[in-house]
Amino acid sequence: MLVVPLILVLLAHACHASPAEDASGSTNSTGVANAKRSAGRIVTIPLQRSFNRNNNILVARRNARQKMSLMQLPPGVDFDDTEENRGLEPDFGRVRLTDATDTYYYGVISVGTPSQNFTVTFDTGSANMWIPGIRCTSKACLQHNRYDHDMSATYQQLGGQFAIQYGTGEVRGFTSQDTVRVGGITIKDQPFAETTSEDEVFELPDTEFDGLFGLAFKSLSSGGLVPPMTRMIEEALVDEPVFAFALSQGHRSFGELLLGGYNELHYKGDLRWMRVTRAKYWQVSMEGVWYGDGKFNLLSLSKDRDVASMPLDLILSSNVEALPKNQWEKARADEAKEAARKKARKKIKEEDEESELDRKRSHPPTDRDSPKIKKLLPTADSTSPETSAILDTGTSFLLGDPNTIQLISRIIGADFRTGDMSCSRLQDLKSIWISLGGYKFEIAPEHYVYRDSEKRTCSSAWVPSYDSPFWVLGDSFLRAYYAVFDMKDKKVGLAPINMPLRHF
């Protein structure tokens, strides 16, 4: 039986899918010049177009920016397709990828001969590649680009059955093999799945992308299919067995995925390298969580105390565990009385079915009960008691154990169940620090609070996960850091990101 433990996080903010760009470097209609590539070249997949390492191109782009005053690009304008840039050969292949409301990122690949173009999300939390097949008549498939293997001269039938189970549905299909092009790299005989049915969570407007491109280790792959990155390494199509993400922040902004190396221009300081504890996911050890300059580890506290009634002033103090038991219980009782008085003064009513329906109608994208923001995680393994976390570009938010998430929610003033919170609290919040692989990493309030600019609402990015053996640090965390994934040495490097914000 095929079991894939992660489900892509999807939120209902997406717009209509944009025309796909040819992953070999050409485009269908934008007029971007074809990118040349030689074997062994590092390849860039820009989630946000970035400066090229080539000094001439770097200067040309800076000059173009000054002349055109482009910090935000109107639709249909390609920043690199300027008069000064024409004739310069890029040293990376380029594929435009998009930030969709800070909840997921997608870019373009092509499959087959001649090329058929697809938008995919590049997911470090899964290892398979799949795209909609022409035989798929689900509404989700009909709304997206579909792969027709009869139109490809390089298609080969594999014939295996393929299924990935999601929270409220699944995708099903069969396995095939064809030429795949991504960021100027051509991967011959790449195995993947073409779907024959897809669940409604992949329908528009929830999901702009067509399929998924897994970047986890081969041991996670369903059906024994070799992941595309593994094939690139085996065929020596990249200089190094490394890829790196620089995720942008802001709807329709660009980031960058670099295959075969990493870009030193995109981070500040030095990379902090962490060993992968289990080469399946990009999983690292996790030692603790702290709020602001607090000295107490919230991860340890949540394991030992009844956090539902724990006084906040004690949570944030540095000597919580030194309190006598009777003083601890008295403090909890005092806080309970004060909470009751506040509730009476504000005439807060008990939540009923009607208010629950109103909440769901007003905040559907951040509903914690919605399968669109949950991955189907593996059940806990009794052989791995230590806390760990995976770095997952296919997850929007930050998933962790319910006790710690409940504690964080109380501290930042968010509803534990729904994540809803007042935007006015942002100015008073402090950073939260997470220790991974022995290093502390900062998550600022602008990263762990999700803001819906259209609805003018805010919600916490901290989501409780009841059945996962590890924490899942998704895009809310990764947007703050340049992340380098080394498949050979099985390690991950993080450093504060350094990228200009650019939009369509």
Side-chain angles (χ1 to χ4, degrees), residues 196-219:
T196 55
S197 66
E198 294 184 13
D199 185 75
E200 62 182 6
V201 297
F202 292 102
E203 296 176 6
L204 291 172
D206 292 2
T207 308
E208 295 184 18
F209 55 82
D210 302 319
L212 185 142
F213 191 102
L215 287 167
F217 291 93
K218 182 180 178 180
S219 57

PDB file of all heavy atoms in Angstrom, residues 196-219:
ATOM      1  N   THR A 196      -5.336  10.782 -12.756  1.00  0.00           N
ATOM      2  CA  THR A 196      -6.615  10.513 -13.419  1.00  0.00           C
ATOM      3  C   THR A 196      -7.791  11.030 -12.604  1.00  0.00           C
ATOM      4  O   THR A 196      -8.910  11.096 -13.104  1.00  0.00           O
ATOM      5  CB  THR A 196      -6.787   9.001 -13.647  1.00  0.00           C
ATOM      6  OG1 THR A 196      -6.634   8.313 -12.390  1.00  0.00           O
ATOM      7  CG2 THR A 196      -5.741   8.481 -14.632  1.00  0.00           C
ATOM      8  N   SER A 197      -7.540  11.389 -11.341  1.00  0.00           N
ATOM      9  CA  SER A 197      -8.569  12.018 -10.504  1.00  0.00           C
ATOM     10  C   SER A 197      -7.879  12.854  -9.431  1.00  0.00           C
ATOM     11  O   SER A 197      -6.827  12.474  -8.919  1.00  0.00           O
ATOM     12  CB  SER A 197      -9.486  10.974  -9.854  1.00  0.00           C
ATOM     13  OG  SER A 197      -8.770  10.188  -8.927  1.00  0.00           O
ATOM     14  N   GLU A 198      -8.491  13.982  -9.095  1.00  0.00           N
ATOM     15  CA  GLU A 198      -7.939  14.880  -8.083  1.00  0.00           C
ATOM     16  C   GLU A 198      -9.065  15.410  -7.204  1.00  0.00           C
ATOM     17  O   GLU A 198     -10.179  15.660  -7.671  1.00  0.00           O
ATOM     18  CB  GLU A 198      -7.207  16.063  -8.735  1.00  0.00           C
ATOM     19  CG  GLU A 198      -5.959  15.655  -9.507  1.00  0.00           C
ATOM     20  CD  GLU A 198      -5.211  16.863 -10.067  1.00  0.00           C
ATOM     21  OE1 GLU A 198      -5.531  18.004  -9.650  1.00  0.00           O
ATOM     22  OE2 GLU A 198      -4.316  16.667 -10.917  1.00  0.00           O
ATOM     23  N   ASP A 199      -8.754  15.590  -5.931  1.00  0.00           N
ATOM     24  CA  ASP A 199      -9.728  16.073  -4.968  1.00  0.00           C
ATOM     25  C   ASP A 199     -10.026  17.559  -5.195  1.00  0.00           C
ATOM     26  O   ASP A 199      -9.256  18.277  -5.843  1.00  0.00           O
ATOM     27  CB  ASP A 199      -9.191  15.842  -3.558  1.00  0.00           C
ATOM     28  CG  ASP A 199     -10.200  16.217  -2.506  1.00  0.00           C
ATOM     29  OD1 ASP A 199     -11.153  15.450  -2.308  1.00  0.00           O
ATOM     30  OD2 ASP A 199     -10.047  17.301  -1.893  1.00  0.00           O
ATOM     31  N   GLU A 200     -11.099  18.033  -4.627  1.00  0.00           N
ATOM     32  CA  GLU A 200     -11.535  19.410  -4.831  1.00  0.00           C
ATOM     33  C   GLU A 200     -10.574  20.440  -4.253  1.00  0.00           C
ATOM     34  O   GLU A 200     -10.625  21.627  -4.633  1.00  0.00           O
ATOM     35  CB  GLU A 200     -12.918  19.629  -4.219  1.00  0.00           C
ATOM     36  CG  GLU A 200     -12.972  19.420  -2.722  1.00  0.00           C
ATOM     37  CD  GLU A 200     -14.362  19.606  -2.158  1.00  0.00           C
ATOM     38  OE1 GLU A 200     -15.300  19.784  -2.960  1.00  0.00           O
ATOM     39  OE2 GLU A 200     -14.505  19.568  -0.929  1.00  0.00           O
ATOM     40  N   VAL A 201      -9.689  20.057  -3.326  1.00  0.00           N
ATOM     41  CA  VAL A 201      -8.757  21.027  -2.770  1.00  0.00           C
ATOM     42  C   VAL A 201      -7.806  21.557  -3.827  1.00  0.00           C
ATOM     43  O   VAL A 201      -7.138  22.573  -3.612  1.00  0.00           O
ATOM     44  CB  VAL A 201      -7.952  20.441  -1.596  1.00  0.00           C
ATOM     45  CG1 VAL A 201      -8.851  20.060  -0.457  1.00  0.00           C
ATOM     46  CG2 VAL A 201      -7.092  19.271  -2.034  1.00  0.00           C
ATOM     47  N   PHE A 202      -7.719  20.888  -4.984  1.00  0.00           N
ATOM     48  CA  PHE A 202      -6.846  21.351  -6.057  1.00  0.00           C
ATOM     49  C   PHE A 202      -7.589  22.190  -7.089  1.00  0.00           C
ATOM     50  O   PHE A 202      -7.038  22.513  -8.143  1.00  0.00           O
ATOM     51  CB  PHE A 202      -6.178  20.152  -6.741  1.00  0.00           C
ATOM     52  CG  PHE A 202      -5.200  19.462  -5.857  1.00  0.00           C
ATOM     53  CD1 PHE A 202      -5.539  18.273  -5.224  1.00  0.00           C
ATOM     54  CD2 PHE A 202      -3.948  19.995  -5.626  1.00  0.00           C
ATOM     55  CE1 PHE A 202      -4.646  17.633  -4.385  1.00  0.00           C
ATOM     56  CE2 PHE A 202      -3.047  19.366  -4.784  1.00  0.00           C
ATOM     57  CZ  PHE A 202      -3.392  18.183  -4.163  1.00  0.00           C
ATOM     58  N   GLU A 203      -8.836  22.538  -6.806  1.00  0.00           N
ATOM     59  CA  GLU A 203      -9.609  23.341  -7.739  1.00  0.00           C
ATOM     60  C   GLU A 203      -9.286  24.828  -7.589  1.00  0.00           C
ATOM     61  O   GLU A 203      -8.835  25.291  -6.545  1.00  0.00           O
ATOM     62  CB  GLU A 203     -11.113  23.119  -7.495  1.00  0.00           C
ATOM     63  CG  GLU A 203     -11.588  21.706  -7.767  1.00  0.00           C
ATOM     64  CD  GLU A 203     -13.060  21.509  -7.413  1.00  0.00           C
ATOM     65  OE1 GLU A 203     -13.720  22.519  -7.056  1.00  0.00           O
ATOM     66  OE2 GLU A 203     -13.543  20.363  -7.484  1.00  0.00           O
ATOM     67  N   LEU A 204      -9.524  25.559  -8.669  1.00  0.00           N
ATOM     68  CA  LEU A 204      -9.473  27.008  -8.592  1.00  0.00           C
ATOM     69  C   LEU A 204     -10.698  27.505  -7.812  1.00  0.00           C
ATOM     70  O   LEU A 204     -11.749  26.870  -7.864  1.00  0.00           O
ATOM     71  CB  LEU A 204      -9.485  27.615  -9.998  1.00  0.00           C
ATOM     72  CG  LEU A 204      -8.234  27.392 -10.855  1.00  0.00           C
ATOM     73  CD1 LEU A 204      -8.481  27.889 -12.265  1.00  0.00           C
ATOM     74  CD2 LEU A 204      -7.019  28.082 -10.243  1.00  0.00           C
ATOM     75  N   PRO A 205     -10.600  28.610  -7.063  1.00  0.00           N
ATOM     76  CA  PRO A 205      -9.424  29.464  -6.960  1.00  0.00           C
ATOM     77  C   PRO A 205      -8.438  29.058  -5.876  1.00  0.00           C
ATOM     78  O   PRO A 205      -7.448  29.748  -5.653  1.00  0.00           O
ATOM     79  CB  PRO A 205     -10.039  30.818  -6.618  1.00  0.00           C
ATOM     80  CG  PRO A 205     -11.219  30.450  -5.760  1.00  0.00           C
ATOM     81  CD  PRO A 205     -11.770  29.177  -6.361  1.00  0.00           C
ATOM     82  N   ASP A 206      -8.679  27.949  -5.197  1.00  0.00           N
ATOM     83  CA  ASP A 206      -7.803  27.535  -4.105  1.00  0.00           C
ATOM     84  C   ASP A 206      -6.370  27.293  -4.577  1.00  0.00           C
ATOM     85  O   ASP A 206      -5.418  27.632  -3.883  1.00  0.00           O
ATOM     86  CB  ASP A 206      -8.325  26.256  -3.444  1.00  0.00           C
ATOM     87  CG  ASP A 206      -9.621  26.474  -2.690  1.00  0.00           C
ATOM     88  OD1 ASP A 206     -10.113  27.613  -2.726  1.00  0.00           O
ATOM     89  OD2 ASP A 206     -10.127  25.512  -2.098  1.00  0.00           O
ATOM     90  N   THR A 207      -6.217  26.677  -5.730  1.00  0.00           N
ATOM     91  CA  THR A 207      -4.910  26.212  -6.177  1.00  0.00           C
ATOM     92  C   THR A 207      -4.613  26.701  -7.580  1.00  0.00           C
ATOM     93  O   THR A 207      -5.301  26.336  -8.531  1.00  0.00           O
ATOM     94  CB  THR A 207      -4.858  24.673  -6.162  1.00  0.00           C
ATOM     95  OG1 THR A 207      -5.273  24.208  -4.877  1.00  0.00           O
ATOM     96  CG2 THR A 207      -3.462  24.180  -6.454  1.00  0.00           C
ATOM     97  N   GLU A 208      -3.570  27.509  -7.709  1.00  0.00           N
ATOM     98  CA  GLU A 208      -3.179  28.016  -9.013  1.00  0.00           C
ATOM     99  C   GLU A 208      -2.288  27.037  -9.769  1.00  0.00           C
ATOM    100  O   GLU A 208      -2.277  27.038 -10.995  1.00  0.00           O
ATOM    101  CB  GLU A 208      -2.443  29.350  -8.867  1.00  0.00           C
ATOM    102  CG  GLU A 208      -3.306  30.473  -8.317  1.00  0.00           C
ATOM    103  CD  GLU A 208      -2.568  31.790  -8.275  1.00  0.00           C
ATOM    104  OE1 GLU A 208      -1.534  31.919  -8.959  1.00  0.00           O
ATOM    105  OE2 GLU A 208      -3.017  32.698  -7.557  1.00  0.00           O
ATOM    106  N   PHE A 209      -1.521  26.236  -9.053  1.00  0.00           N
ATOM    107  CA  PHE A 209      -0.559  25.383  -9.740  1.00  0.00           C
ATOM    108  C   PHE A 209      -1.200  24.090 -10.236  1.00  0.00           C
ATOM    109  O   PHE A 209      -2.220  23.645  -9.745  1.00  0.00           O
ATOM    110  CB  PHE A 209       0.646  25.080  -8.839  1.00  0.00           C
ATOM    111  CG  PHE A 209       0.283  24.471  -7.512  1.00  0.00           C
ATOM    112  CD1 PHE A 209       0.029  23.123  -7.398  1.00  0.00           C
ATOM    113  CD2 PHE A 209       0.211  25.256  -6.376  1.00  0.00           C
ATOM    114  CE1 PHE A 209      -0.308  22.549  -6.186  1.00  0.00           C
ATOM    115  CE2 PHE A 209      -0.123  24.701  -5.147  1.00  0.00           C
ATOM    116  CZ  PHE A 209      -0.383  23.347  -5.062  1.00  0.00           C
ATOM    117  N   ASP A 210      -0.536  23.474 -11.225  1.00  0.00           N
ATOM    118  CA  ASP A 210      -1.047  22.242 -11.836  1.00  0.00           C
ATOM    119  C   ASP A 210      -0.657  21.004 -11.046  1.00  0.00           C
ATOM    120  O   ASP A 210      -1.459  20.085 -10.872  1.00  0.00           O
ATOM    121  CB  ASP A 210      -0.510  22.095 -13.264  1.00  0.00           C
ATOM    122  CG  ASP A 210      -0.870  23.270 -14.146  1.00  0.00           C
ATOM    123  OD1 ASP A 210      -2.018  23.740 -14.049  1.00  0.00           O
ATOM    124  OD2 ASP A 210      -0.013  23.721 -14.921  1.00  0.00           O
ATOM    125  N   GLY A 211       0.603  20.921 -10.612  1.00  0.00           N
ATOM    126  CA  GLY A 211       1.101  19.701  -9.994  1.00  0.00           C
ATOM    127  C   GLY A 211       2.153  19.958  -8.936  1.00  0.00           C
ATOM    128  O   GLY A 211       2.271  21.073  -8.407  1.00  0.00           O
ATOM    129  N   LEU A 212       2.914  18.917  -8.637  1.00  0.00           N
ATOM    130  CA  LEU A 212       3.871  18.970  -7.538  1.00  0.00           C
ATOM    131  C   LEU A 212       5.218  18.398  -7.968  1.00  0.00           C
ATOM    132  O   LEU A 212       5.282  17.422  -8.707  1.00  0.00           O
ATOM    133  CB  LEU A 212       3.315  18.195  -6.346  1.00  0.00           C
ATOM    134  CG  LEU A 212       4.113  18.224  -5.052  1.00  0.00           C
ATOM    135  CD1 LEU A 212       3.168  18.300  -3.861  1.00  0.00           C
ATOM    136  CD2 LEU A 212       5.000  16.996  -4.922  1.00  0.00           C
ATOM    137  N   PHE A 213       6.295  19.024  -7.469  1.00  0.00           N
ATOM    138  CA  PHE A 213       7.661  18.630  -7.791  1.00  0.00           C
ATOM    139  C   PHE A 213       8.386  18.398  -6.464  1.00  0.00           C
ATOM    140  O   PHE A 213       8.783  19.340  -5.785  1.00  0.00           O
ATOM    141  CB  PHE A 213       8.329  19.743  -8.592  1.00  0.00           C
ATOM    142  CG  PHE A 213       9.643  19.402  -9.232  1.00  0.00           C
ATOM    143  CD1 PHE A 213       9.717  19.110 -10.583  1.00  0.00           C
ATOM    144  CD2 PHE A 213      10.821  19.406  -8.496  1.00  0.00           C
ATOM    145  CE1 PHE A 213      10.943  18.834 -11.196  1.00  0.00           C
ATOM    146  CE2 PHE A 213      12.038  19.125  -9.082  1.00  0.00           C
ATOM    147  CZ  PHE A 213      12.096  18.835 -10.453  1.00  0.00           C
ATOM    148  N   GLY A 214       8.526  17.125  -6.056  1.00  0.00           N
ATOM    149  CA  GLY A 214       9.097  16.808  -4.749  1.00  0.00           C
ATOM    150  C   GLY A 214      10.603  16.945  -4.702  1.00  0.00           C
ATOM    151  O   GLY A 214      11.310  16.580  -5.649  1.00  0.00           O
ATOM    152  N   LEU A 215      11.114  17.459  -3.561  1.00  0.00           N
ATOM    153  CA  LEU A 215      12.554  17.672  -3.384  1.00  0.00           C
ATOM    154  C   LEU A 215      13.085  17.010  -2.113  1.00  0.00           C
ATOM    155  O   LEU A 215      14.174  17.342  -1.663  1.00  0.00           O
ATOM    156  CB  LEU A 215      12.852  19.178  -3.340  1.00  0.00           C
ATOM    157  CG  LEU A 215      12.742  19.907  -4.686  1.00  0.00           C
ATOM    158  CD1 LEU A 215      12.749  21.419  -4.471  1.00  0.00           C
ATOM    159  CD2 LEU A 215      13.868  19.499  -5.621  1.00  0.00           C
ATOM    160  N   ALA A 216      12.322  16.078  -1.559  1.00  0.00           N
ATOM    161  CA  ALA A 216      12.804  15.331  -0.391  1.00  0.00           C
ATOM    162  C   ALA A 216      13.641  14.141  -0.853  1.00  0.00           C
ATOM    163  O   ALA A 216      13.897  13.950  -2.045  1.00  0.00           O
ATOM    164  CB  ALA A 216      11.625  14.874   0.457  1.00  0.00           C
ATOM    165  N   PHE A 217      14.070  13.320   0.097  1.00  0.00           N
ATOM    166  CA  PHE A 217      14.943  12.191  -0.216  1.00  0.00           C
ATOM    167  C   PHE A 217      14.166  11.046  -0.881  1.00  0.00           C
ATOM    168  O   PHE A 217      12.955  10.915  -0.693  1.00  0.00           O
ATOM    169  CB  PHE A 217      15.632  11.696   1.052  1.00  0.00           C
ATOM    170  CG  PHE A 217      16.643  12.665   1.613  1.00  0.00           C
ATOM    171  CD1 PHE A 217      16.277  13.581   2.580  1.00  0.00           C
ATOM    172  CD2 PHE A 217      17.954  12.661   1.161  1.00  0.00           C
ATOM    173  CE1 PHE A 217      17.199  14.475   3.098  1.00  0.00           C
ATOM    174  CE2 PHE A 217      18.888  13.543   1.678  1.00  0.00           C
ATOM    175  CZ  PHE A 217      18.511  14.462   2.639  1.00  0.00           C
ATOM    176  N   LYS A 218      14.890  10.226  -1.604  1.00  0.00           N
ATOM    177  CA  LYS A 218      14.301   9.129  -2.358  1.00  0.00           C
ATOM    178  C   LYS A 218      13.535   8.164  -1.462  1.00  0.00           C
ATOM    179  O   LYS A 218      12.538   7.560  -1.881  1.00  0.00           O
ATOM    180  CB  LYS A 218      15.392   8.378  -3.126  1.00  0.00           C
ATOM    181  CG  LYS A 218      14.882   7.238  -3.989  1.00  0.00           C
ATOM    182  CD  LYS A 218      16.029   6.550  -4.713  1.00  0.00           C
ATOM    183  CE  LYS A 218      15.546   5.370  -5.542  1.00  0.00           C
ATOM    184  NZ  LYS A 218      16.680   4.698  -6.245  1.00  0.00           N
ATOM    185  N   SER A 219      13.979   8.010  -0.213  1.00  0.00           N
ATOM    186  CA  SER A 219      13.332   7.074   0.706  1.00  0.00           C
ATOM    187  C   SER A 219      11.889   7.460   1.014  1.00  0.00           C
ATOM    188  O   SER A 219      11.116   6.639   1.484  1.00  0.00           O
ATOM    189  CB  SER A 219      14.132   6.981   2.013  1.00  0.00           C
ATOM    190  OG  SER A 219      14.264   8.263   2.615  1.00  0.00           O
TER     191      SER A 219
END
